Amino acid sequence: MNGANGTMTKEAAREMISGALMSDDPQAFFRSVDEQHPCAPYLAPLLALRGVPQNPEYHPEGDAFEHTMQVLERAARERSRAQQPHMFMMSALTHDLGKAVCTRRNEKGAWASIGHDTEGAKIAFRWLQSLGYPVEEAMYSNNMCRLHMRVHQCYRDHMKLKKTEKLFMEAYYPEDLILLAACDTGGKGDGIAV
């Protein structure tokens, strides 16, 4: 489980992450990881969300890490509905990784994370590849990260059927994408049902 110098191997970290994702309470593990935890170096993209501010108008739950934990909690309750349960849970964990690099104050002084979906997709892919996850899992998370905001936009802007169909044609698993967007919306401490 540990490397020659007593550090955790990426294989052990990957097993720990995957085990946590498929547990009944995955957010408990990720919340428990501090800088001293042996898995911490392997969770750097996720831990970078701690303290990343969000606009309280849309995210009353707090920072980007807290939001991700609430999305993960909802996703655990819904994963049996996903076509790819493990990959679905990984996408819940990675869907907002881009907020760590994209969050800035906008022209009105409010926190915004413009482009976090596309940047996050790249980060998720690189991170999962570095941990040794199969390429299809990295591609699934990349796809879900990249598209999750477009689902919200379709709903908010009452997009025409043709644009909505185009979005779902791009999704590897459209039903999983809709489920992730519902968990993302519900991951704000507001009790919205999925």
Side-chain angles (χ1 to χ4, degrees):
M1 182 159 184
N2 289 337
N5 62 357
T7 60
M8 180 174 278
T9 64
K10 78 174 179 181
E11 292 78 13
R14 185 176 62 239
E15 287 178 27
M16 193 173 282
I17 293 165
S18 291
L21 287 174
M22 298 311 287
S23 72
D24 290 338
D25 188 17
Q27 51 116 10
F29 168 73
F30 297 105
R31 286 183 188 281
S32 75
V33 176
D34 62 15
E35 292 175 8
Q36 305 307 313
H37 194 284
C39 200
Y42 298 102
L43 291 172
L46 175 67
L47 300 179
L49 295 175
R50 288 182 172 160
V52 174
Q54 300 184 108
N55 186 331
E57 179 180 348
Y58 303 108
H59 288 283
E61 72 279 9
D63 69 16
F65 183 82
E66 179 59 30
H67 169 67
T68 299
M69 294 301 99
Q70 290 189 24
V71 171
L72 199 58
E73 181 181 2
R74 288 193 89 77
R77 291 187 298 216
E78 302 298 332
R79 74 173 158 236
S80 65
R81 296 170 60 188
Q83 291 181 295
Q84 298 293 326
H86 181 267
M87 290 191 278
F88 171 74
M89 291 302 295
M90 186 60 77
S91 69
L93 186 69
T94 61
H95 81 284
D96 274 350
L97 292 179
K99 287 184 175 180
V101 297
C102 291
T103 301
R104 310 267 185 284
R105 288 201 181 270
N106 64 20
E107 64 281 351
K108 296 178 183 175
W111 292 108
S113 300
I114 307 298
H116 79 275
D117 45 355
T118 54
E119 285 304 309
K122 296 173 200 171
I123 294 167
F125 184 82
R126 286 191 306 262
W127 181 37
L128 298 180
Q129 285 284 275
S130 75
L131 289 171
Y133 279 96
V135 70
E136 58 271 11
E137 291 192 35
M139 290 300 296
Y140 176 101
S141 285
N142 174 285
N143 183 258
M144 297 280 271
C145 289
R146 187 172 53 79
L147 299 177
H148 81 278
M149 291 302 294
R150 286 180 47 200
V151 176
H152 299 309
Q153 184 181 18
C154 281
Y155 176 77
R156 184 184 65 241
D157 297 344
H158 306 288
M159 294 287 209
K160 293 191 166 82
L161 183 60
K162 193 168 198 149
K163 284 190 177 186
T164 303
E165 285 176 344
K166 183 177 186 266
L167 165 64
F168 293 127
M169 292 290 290
E170 290 181 52
Y172 292 168
Y173 292 90
E175 295 87 354
D176 288 7
L177 179 61
I178 293 167
L179 192 57
L180 175 63
C183 291
D184 188 23
T185 298
K188 299 177 183 184
D190 54 14
I192 293 173
V194 177

